[in-house]
Amino acid sequence: MGTDRIDDIWGARAPHGPGTPWPARVDQHLVDGVEEDDVDRWVRGACLLCSNGCGLEVAVSGGRMVGVRGLADDRVNHGRLGPKGLYGWLGQQRDRLTTPLVRRDGRLVETDWETAMALLVERSQDLLESRGPLGLGFFTSGQLMLEEYYALAMIAKGGIGTPHLDGNTRWCTATAAAALSETFGSDGQPGSYTDVDDCDALFLYGHNVAETQTVLWSRMLDRLDGPNPPRLVCVDPRRTKVAERATVHLAIANGTNLALMNALVREVIERGYVDRAYVDAHTVGFDDVVEATADATPEWAGEVCGVDPDDVRRAAEIFGTSERVVSTCSMGVYQSHQATAAACAVNNLHLLRGMLGRPGAGILQMNGQPTAQNNREAGCGPALPGFRNWANPEHVDELTTLWNVDPGTIPDWSEPTHGMQIFRYAEQGSIGFLWISATNPVVSMPDLARVRKILSGDQCFVVVSDAYLTETAELADVVLPTALWAEKTGTYTNVDRTVHLQDKAVDPPGGARSDLEIFVDYARRLGLHDRDGAPLPPFETPQDAFDAWKEASSGRPCDYSGLDYARLRAAGGTQWPCTDDAPDGTERLYASGVFPTDREVCETYGHDLATGAPLDETAYRALAPHGRAVLKAVPFDAPFEEPDEAYPFRLTTGRTVYHFHTRTKTSRSAVLDAAAPSMWFELSEPDAQRLGVGEGDVVRVTSRRGAVEAPARVAALREGVVFAPWHYGDRAANDLTLGAWDPVSKQPEYKVAAVAVERVAAGTGPAPAPLGTASAPVRPRDAARTGRE
């Protein structure tokens, strides 16, 4: 079959009206020369190349993957697949690691598993004896399986006892978790993808869904093209395909999200759109929000954000007069200096309108990576497993009993160490062993010159588990070859809490092993055990690991106790919470207006949104939410780094539809690589004219941390803004970004950095037009806000 979905990204439309089911459309791709009759078997699973989690089947012939097709009955995608889902697996077998590597005389050389694992255990034991558990750190991903995350959490926190466990979910999804926990008491999306089918308004904050979750955008397009379409409000400094369809496009200056959000909240309050009965019965903190947003007038926000104040009013009116609003929030909000406060403001709007728990009314604080939700649930991020509160001794005791480990083993003396701090400790050498699993921080982290120096130094022993020799693996002391998607069995959970089971379809190449096998082998060799001397973790197979996780999650907000592999094979994607009393899962959270904010249940006691200081139990008791949601707000503050005379532009980074993460997988798919083979920078038409830059000319973009040269594209975005895709390791946008972070979520500020731009060479021809570019430039109201006179 051809590669037409490279050009026709979202496929054919199936328009429908509100309250009607989204029509099915099955997308399929088989490799050249293979017909359906040649397929030996189809293996059910889900796509693992964005956070949408589309249900699919893998075609197997002669022991190899030869195709994929969407599942028409899957609740997430109704049979559709995006370009990455259709073609991203095609190069999976290229350049695979098949045997462990160890560093000898400065070079990585092949070795056997026995030698490699012995090195890991020897270094771990030495550090445990000399420094204790704080000498070891683990940095994982948003691409493993639930069973693997849970095993790692048990090993790190229950066996070794280190708080140094985080992952690159910190870079993409930490703010989603933080904002949901701050407002509702626990992580977990309130809404459902099916809300798109019923809503009468869509608000997309910093979420270029047309490129980042193509099938979800297809779902939105089918409503936008149907009868009685929803009104759409888009917040994005670029004129994306989403912005082109918007009723109101708020092209704010990057770094000013909270100014806009506070103005929207103020307008909803001032214009009498608040459902006071709902607010009084189901929330606390209303007066604090009124005070914090009192000065955020549309005129003030228009000046700060560089947009028309009337557009701010129009957006607020749409929110205030709609009956069913779906809001999505993504990296444009999360990767900024007041990320959690801005994301909480999205929650505030829904609470003020009582816009939760019913069809068409919901919030989706989006994830970036496909299994980020599992990372957070299983305890590899900011919470203990099952969204337990590290500051609640009763939660720690529950886990101590469940794992049968000695009291005091589970680190609960402070918040789990966040990723930026883990790398700081590795830089200092206080972490002397850092195990990086299924991720590539040498491309994905900010301020990359520093990251390369940390990982290439001799102060920390670096282990990398990956399927390929990535930029990060090239700096490691030991590299372990791993199995990839469809080469192992396990579960994934997507943005709207839908759990899919991926059955193993083919064997991994050579000596590659699943991450679960590797983690369990490490634990056995290290001699980890419970109080009775039984091995820890107590499981070895994916199914046993899932059963153990069910027990850990039982009674918690992310309850999996009603799920099992047999059910998932038969029923397909199923949402949590799923119990024996609710075997079909739960479509929407908080329909009753009761939230998991009781002290005995909540995942966190919350934080000061301005400083990030955690609240203690005493302060939380004084707040007295008692099952009510918490309205929170703080005033706007300027970004850490603003344009000036030397660096007059605002850099923002993002994704392209054809690639995932650092292109480790998608660059090996010839059709995806050809669609977007190399790095570029986008400039507005007026800025390009002033700089003398034509389409395809090479520009040098410089920040206080580095410089990158790449071809320019003249695009429709705000004056004074430069956009760069961050996927490319050879010309890495993150050489320019800074290592500052939001005080609550600790998510780095990728979306705002001050840069200078200069033309350095003529282009060899016109650069290809970026997806979503329109001809009309997006101009700010106030040129002074771009940092130029």
Side-chain angles (χ1 to χ4, degrees):
M1 302 178 72
T3 57
D4 56 292
R5 290 293 300 284
I6 293 297
D7 296 321
D8 184 14
I9 292 166
W10 306 286
R13 298 275 54 77
H16 69 108
T20 60
W22 187 30
R25 185 196 79 204
V26 176
D27 295 339
Q28 175 177 303
H29 182 74
L30 296 172
V31 298
D32 290 342
V34 173
E35 303 294 335
E36 286 195 39
D37 289 344
D38 300 322
V39 175
D40 297 334
R41 56 196 175 97
W42 292 90
V43 181
R44 288 177 70 106
C47 181
L48 203 60
L49 285 171
C50 85
S51 63
N52 211 54
C54 296
L56 55 68
E57 291 180 303
V58 179
V60 179
S61 179
R64 67 187 185 99
M65 291 186 290
V66 295
V68 292
R69 68 183 179 194
L71 287 168
D73 61 353
D74 191 89
R75 66 175 308 278
V76 171
N77 58 319
H78 292 212
R80 291 162 181 78
L81 296 172
K84 291 193 290 288
L86 285 169
Y87 313 125
W89 57 274
L90 285 169
Q92 183 163 309
Q93 296 304 311
R94 284 181 53 196
D95 311 320
R96 289 290 294 274
L97 294 173
T98 58
T99 190
L101 307 174
V102 296
R103 190 165 296 280
R104 301 287 189 221
D105 299 322
R107 295 175 56 249
L108 287 172
V109 298
E110 292 187 353
T111 190
D112 54 68
W113 276 99
E114 183 65 32
T115 301
M117 295 304 294
L119 278 172
L120 265 66
V121 172
E122 179 184 4
R123 182 56 63 99
S124 300
Q125 288 174 333
D126 287 347
L127 286 165
L128 287 170
E129 291 173 4
S130 61
R131 304 184 194 177
L134 295 181
L136 279 67
F138 299 85
F139 188 76
T140 182
S141 170
Q143 301 178 49
L144 298 181
M145 292 171 159
L146 169 61
E147 295 81 355
E148 294 166 336
Y149 292 125
Y150 187 51
L152 181 58
M154 193 178 290
I155 289 166
K157 295 181 177 179
I160 294 169
T162 179
H164 303 328
L165 171 59
D166 202 11
N168 73 357
T169 47
R170 182 70 65 174
W171 316 151
C172 69
T173 190
T175 300
L180 293 168
S181 300
E182 294 290 332
T183 302
F184 304 120
S186 179
D187 196 348
Q189 304 296 339
S192 164
Y193 281 161
T194 59
D195 289 333
V196 173
D197 306 339
D198 292 286
C199 69
D200 57 5
L202 280 164
F203 276 68
L204 275 61
Y205 303 95
H207 182 201
N208 183 13
V209 61
E211 299 202 55
T212 57
Q213 289 92 16
T214 55
V215 172
L216 181 56
W217 179 237
S218 292
R219 194 168 199 151
M220 294 176 180
L221 282 175
D222 287 343
R223 280 296 322 282
L224 292 170
D225 288 345
N228 300 315
R231 292 177 289 181
L232 171 62
V233 175
C234 169
V235 180
D236 197 314
R238 303 167 70 210
R239 187 169 172 79
T240 62
K241 286 293 183 183
V242 176
E244 287 180 10
R245 297 300 303 267
T247 310
V248 178
H249 175 205
L250 292 162
I252 66 173
N254 41 316
T256 64
N257 297 302
L258 186 60
L260 172 67
M261 296 310 306
N262 281 350
L264 292 175
V265 168
R266 180 188 180 278
E267 279 293 285
V268 165
I269 295 170
E270 288 288 315
R271 295 171 70 171
Y273 297 134
V274 176
D275 183 340
R276 283 309 303 258
Y278 185 93
V279 168
D280 292 345
H282 301 295
T283 74
V284 296
F286 177 75
D287 291 341
D288 293 337
V289 170
V290 172
E291 181 179 354
T293 61
D295 297 329
T297 65
E299 284 72 23
W300 170 83
E303 181 178 353
V304 172
C305 302
V307 295
D308 189 331
D310 286 339
D311 286 341
V312 178
R313 292 188 182 91
R314 288 177 66 206
E317 182 180 13
I318 290 172
F319 201 100
T321 58
S322 297
E323 294 299 320
R324 299 174 303 279
V325 178
V326 169
S327 292
T328 72
C329 196
S330 194
M331 304 308 143
V333 170
Y334 299 159
Q335 294 175 335
S336 59
H337 66 298
Q338 290 183 299
T340 304
C344 282
V346 175
N347 301 339
N348 291 344
L349 285 170
H350 278 260
L351 290 168
L352 291 172
R353 294 276 293 118
M355 199 76 70
L356 283 173
R358 52 191 172 86
I363 301 167
L364 294 168
Q365 297 275 1
M366 301 299 294
N367 296 336
Q369 293 213 38
T371 63
Q373 194 68 45
N374 298 126
N375 178 298
R376 287 156 26 197
E377 295 162 4
C380 288
L384 294 175
F387 296 153
R388 287 177 171 84
N389 187 348
W390 64 270
N392 186 333
E394 295 163 21
H395 286 194
V396 178
D397 288 346
E398 283 179 15
L399 206 55
T400 299
T401 300
L402 180 70
W403 289 349
N404 192 29
V405 296
D406 290 329
T409 301
I410 298 171
D412 63 344
W413 56 87
S414 69
E415 291 187 277
T417 314
H418 65 89
M420 296 297 287
Q421 193 65 54
I422 285 175
F423 277 82
R424 174 59 174 156
Y425 291 152
E427 182 178 41
Q428 296 171 324
S430 62
I431 288 179
F433 173 99
L434 179 60
W435 189 343
I436 300 170
S437 303
T439 189
N440 192 14
V442 171
V443 179
S444 65
M445 280 188 70
D447 194 4
L448 287 181
R450 179 184 174 206
V451 177
R452 295 186 195 100
K453 184 177 180 181
I454 293 170
L455 296 182
S456 59
D458 58 7
Q459 83 290 349
C460 182
F461 186 85
V462 177
V463 179
V464 170
S465 302
D466 211 305
Y468 305 99
L469 191 63
T470 64
E471 291 88 345
T472 302
E474 288 176 346
L475 302 181
D477 296 290
V478 176
V479 181
L480 304 176
T482 58
L484 281 178
W485 169 82
E487 296 171 354
K488 54 186 179 179
T489 294
T491 50
Y492 314 138
T493 304
N494 78 340
V495 170
D496 83 337
R497 300 173 281 106
T498 299
V499 185
H500 284 102
L501 172 65
Q502 175 67 61
D503 273 310
K504 180 179 177 180
V506 296
D507 291 328
R513 298 178 179 177
S514 75
D515 291 271
L516 180 62
E517 290 177 271
I518 296 170
F519 291 149
V520 171
D521 184 23
Y522 172 73
R524 300 290 184 265
R525 291 170 183 266
L526 201 57
L528 300 183
H529 55 81
D530 67 13
R531 281 188 289 189
D532 297 327
L536 191 77
F539 48 77
E540 296 189 1
T541 68
Q543 183 153 345
D544 288 345
F546 186 80
D547 289 342
W549 165 248
K550 286 170 55 179
E551 184 181 5
S553 69
S554 180
R556 297 298 300 157
C558 54
D559 196 327
Y560 281 62
S561 60
L563 289 171
D564 56 43
Y565 277 14
R567 174 176 176 76
L568 290 169
R569 286 189 180 106
T574 305
Q575 291 173 288
W576 64 251
C578 181
T579 64
D580 292 336
D581 294 331
D584 295 326
T586 305
E587 182 101 31
R588 297 170 187 86
L589 304 182
Y590 315 136
S592 65
V594 177
F595 301 88
T597 54
D598 281 332
R599 189 205 66 82
E600 296 80 7
V601 179
C602 66
E603 177 182 337
T604 177
Y605 297 140
H607 299 76
D608 183 302
L609 295 187
T611 67
L615 305 181
D616 60 17
E617 182 180 347
T618 301
Y620 195 72
R621 286 184 183 276
L623 184 63
H626 301 313
R628 292 174 291 176
V630 181
L631 293 162
K632 286 189 170 186
V634 292
F636 168 74
D637 230 344
F640 290 112
E641 190 172 89
E642 290 202 278
D644 57 21
E645 185 174 345
Y647 301 95
F649 292 89
R650 292 172 182 258
L651 174 74
T652 187
T653 65
R655 298 174 178 174
T656 178
V657 68
Y658 302 112
H659 287 302
F660 172 69
H661 203 242
T662 62
R663 301 174 72 242
T664 303
K665 299 171 182 174
T666 52
S667 69
R668 290 171 166 83
S669 169
V671 291
L672 293 177
D673 188 55
S678 58
M679 163 74 163
W680 73 90
F681 288 107
E682 290 181 18
L683 302 172
S684 74
E685 184 178 332
D687 288 330
Q689 289 177 350
R690 278 190 288 271
L691 292 167
V693 173
E695 188 80 9
D697 287 352
V698 178
V699 296
R700 179 183 296 119
V701 177
T702 306
S703 76
R704 291 177 174 86
R705 291 151 296 280
V708 178
E709 293 183 6
R713 289 175 168 178
V714 181
L717 72 166
R718 288 182 56 92
E719 289 182 56
V721 173
V722 179
F723 169 82
W726 64 270
H727 308 284
Y728 300 88
D730 55 343
R731 297 176 181 177
N734 282 321
D735 276 320
L736 306 171
T737 53
L738 68 159
W741 57 75
D742 172 69
V744 180
S745 69
K746 312 301 191 293
Q747 187 160 358
E749 189 183 33
Y750 292 97
K751 298 301 188 206
V752 190
V755 297
V757 182
E758 60 180 321
R759 179 181 182 274
V760 295
T764 57
L771 176 69
T773 300
S775 57
V778 179
R779 290 187 170 88
R781 288 186 63 255
D782 183 358
R785 290 300 303 172
T786 69
R788 293 173 291 110
E789 297 298 324

